[in-house]
Amino acid sequence: MVKAKKYLIVFLAVSILTVLLDQLSKYAINKVWPEWSLRFLSIHFVRNTGAGFGILKGQMGILAFVSALAALAVIFFYKKIPQEKIPQILFGLFLGGVVGNLIDRTLRGYVIDFIDLAFWPVFNIADLAISISVIGLVLYYWRK
């Protein structure tokens, strides 16, 4: 039981930290509207009304519903997540990323994106957390 509680704390800490970093970075970008550019990286404000790669533009209701459903599924099925550090961290990242973008969709009506690598669609901390978690989970379950 102590082990399960330890992993729940890891899961919650990662989820909450991800949401906080995501929302604080979006708050700062929204206030400052920076235009920074290096050779391979640009930071600038982008108002995204769709999902990744420009799909479902203007479909905030559908995207918010799917995000809420995904977050609730992770919470509902939490007990099925292996009691190991890596899956707890990865599912925590996933939940935090989904909730971070869900907050934007419901409160702003769009998602703030700001990290631009030029060869990839502009993204944010929540998107990064979701991407890392999905890749990590695919590798984790593939090895199992």
Side-chain angles (χ1 to χ4, degrees):
M1 193 60 139
V2 173
K3 187 178 176 183
K5 189 173 184 176
K6 173 185 151 187
Y7 287 122
L8 177 60
I9 290 169
V10 168
F11 172 80
L12 290 173
V14 170
S15 296
I16 292 167
L17 185 60
T18 301
V19 172
L20 287 173
L21 287 173
D22 177 64
Q23 289 300 304
L24 287 172
S25 64
K26 290 172 179 175
Y27 176 81
I29 294 298
N30 193 32
K31 289 295 176 194
V32 177
W33 279 50
E35 287 292 333
W36 301 330
S37 187
L38 304 169
R39 288 183 191 258
F40 61 92
L41 170 70
S42 296
I43 304 291
H44 58 96
F45 181 95
V46 173
R47 187 174 279 137
N48 182 357
T49 62
F53 302 99
I55 60 172
L56 297 174
K57 265 198 181 11
Q59 301 297 316
M60 283 290 110
I62 292 169
L63 292 168
F65 177 75
V66 170
S67 295
L69 203 57
L72 289 172
V74 170
I75 293 165
F76 184 77
F77 292 109
Y78 173 77
K79 289 187 179 193
K80 294 190 183 280
I81 298 172
Q83 295 295 300
E84 299 172 34
K85 192 178 210 176
I86 297 299
Q88 293 289 320
I89 289 170
L90 292 172
F91 274 104
L93 280 172
F94 182 80
L95 180 61
V98 168
V99 169
N101 281 340
L102 178 60
I103 290 169
D104 280 12
R105 287 188 174 106
T106 55
L107 297 182
R108 292 187 174 98
Y110 59 89
V111 173
I112 295 175
D113 288 334
F114 58 91
I115 304 168
D116 189 347
L117 298 177
F119 64 88
W120 197 257
V122 183
F123 60 97
N124 58 45
I125 302 296
D127 298 334
L128 184 60
I130 293 167
S131 297
I132 289 169
S133 68
V134 168
I135 291 167
L137 287 166
V138 166
L139 293 173
Y140 173 82
Y141 283 107
W142 187 25
R143 287 183 53 200
K144 294 275 179 185

